[in-house]
Amino acid sequence: ASGTAALGNSIHGIELQDSPDNIVENNDISGNAGTGVYIIGPSAVNNRVSGNKIGLGAANVPLGNQHGVWIFDASGNLVGGAVFGAGNVIAANAVAGVILDGSNNLVLGNSIGTTDGVTNLGNGGIGVIARATNDDVGGELPGSGNLIAFNGSHGIEASSGIASHTFFGNRIYSNGGLGISIGVAEGPAPQLLSVTVGGGNTSPLSVLNGGPPATMYRVQYFYSFDCDPSGYGEGANFIADYDVTTDGFGYRLFGPLLPGEVPAGSFLTAT
């Protein structure tokens, strides 16, 4: 009853089975043997999970569930939100923070693996797993990006491929694996050839190669003070995005002028 010891349920904390239009808000959901919030079934649409602590007890004591939030065969649900206070803290769960096995769901404004960006309360596995289609993790509106840090494996894993998902505006760093892992390569990843810093700007010479011809991509640039050991860095601090269209051969060399000078000793990354 104190919120500092696990007295969880034998399965899930909250299950919405084929149930639409529910609001799960401002709860501490922790210590359950299954998933903290489990949304399942094609009729489970338009549900909102916001302002909860999922995997933490009183005073942010780690009391993880097996998974934080799992959406299975359900669409049109919102985990978090872009307005102040709508995001969930999803941390210290044994395996995954969020699993998306349904399409057209939104994961916005959450802290996944930490409460404040400094405290390590990582989920044991992947921060966010996207295994369906057309799910958005983060966005372009203020407040819609997620903070995904200190998880035991990748920050985000798109095992179904990335072309049908949108991953924008997230701060992803200090995870055990890659920032974003793509199971099925469906497009070119931006490569950084060199970086020029000065005059109040940062200009990365970048290239896209190997994608379909005459296709527009939005490239987002970040800087971090620690680079992933794999050599494929994560992105702790968002700088800016840049729209680029490949030529008739699926190639484009470009050098955007980004605002501000990245700090000395930091690493520039792009996605």
Side-chain angles (χ1 to χ4, degrees):
S2 65
T4 58
L7 299 171
N9 302 290
S10 60
I11 306 180
H12 309 305
I14 296 173
E15 179 174 333
L16 304 177
Q17 185 176 58
D18 278 316
S19 179
D21 303 316
N22 297 284
I23 298 175
V24 179
E25 189 172 53
N26 297 334
N27 303 285
D28 289 355
I29 306 169
S30 59
N32 299 289
T35 298
V37 180
Y38 187 50
I39 301 174
I40 179 172
S43 296
V45 299
N46 197 36
N47 295 293
R48 175 163 60 87
V49 180
S50 62
N52 303 284
K53 290 195 300 182
I54 304 174
L56 301 178
N60 294 330
V61 172
L63 297 173
N65 310 284
Q66 183 76 356
H67 308 294
V69 178
W70 190 350
I71 300 176
F72 186 84
D73 194 29
S75 62
N77 298 286
L78 171 62
V79 180
V83 299
F84 180 78
N88 304 280
V89 175
I90 305 172
N93 297 288
V95 186
V98 179
I99 303 175
L100 301 173
D101 280 323
S103 300
N104 300 299
N105 297 290
L106 304 175
V107 179
L108 308 177
N110 303 285
S111 295
I112 302 173
T114 184
T115 55
D116 53 11
V118 177
T119 305
N120 183 345
L121 293 166
N123 299 288
I126 298 168
V128 180
I129 303 173
R131 295 193 291 218
T133 57
N134 298 319
D135 292 309
D136 289 355
V137 180
E140 297 183 80
L141 295 177
S144 59
N146 301 281
L147 173 58
I148 305 173
F150 305 115
N151 298 289
S153 185
H154 309 306
I156 299 174
E157 180 180 87
S159 55
S160 58
I162 198 170
S164 60
H165 299 295
T166 300
F167 303 146
F168 275 150
N170 302 294
R171 298 179 59 200
I172 307 174
Y173 58 93
S174 297
N175 296 287
L178 299 175
I180 300 174
S181 174
I182 304 169
V184 180
E186 296 176 327
Q191 299 179 44
L192 304 182
L193 304 180
S194 65
V195 180
T196 302
V197 179
N201 300 106
T202 299
S203 181
L205 183 62
S206 312
V207 64
L208 284 173
N209 190 24
T215 301
M216 195 277 282
Y217 295 91
R218 176 156 295 171
V219 178
Q220 292 201 314
Y221 292 92
F222 300 81
Y223 73 88
S224 306
F225 287 101
D226 296 303
C227 196
D228 192 275
S230 68
Y232 294 93
E234 300 181 74
N237 301 284
F238 175 67
I239 304 172
D241 51 40
Y242 186 78
D243 291 344
V244 58
T245 300
T246 55
D247 62 16
F249 300 95
Y251 175 87
R252 179 64 67 192
L253 182 69
F254 55 102
L257 196 64
L258 306 179
E261 298 184 10
V262 295
S266 62
F267 297 89
L268 194 71
T269 57
T271 184

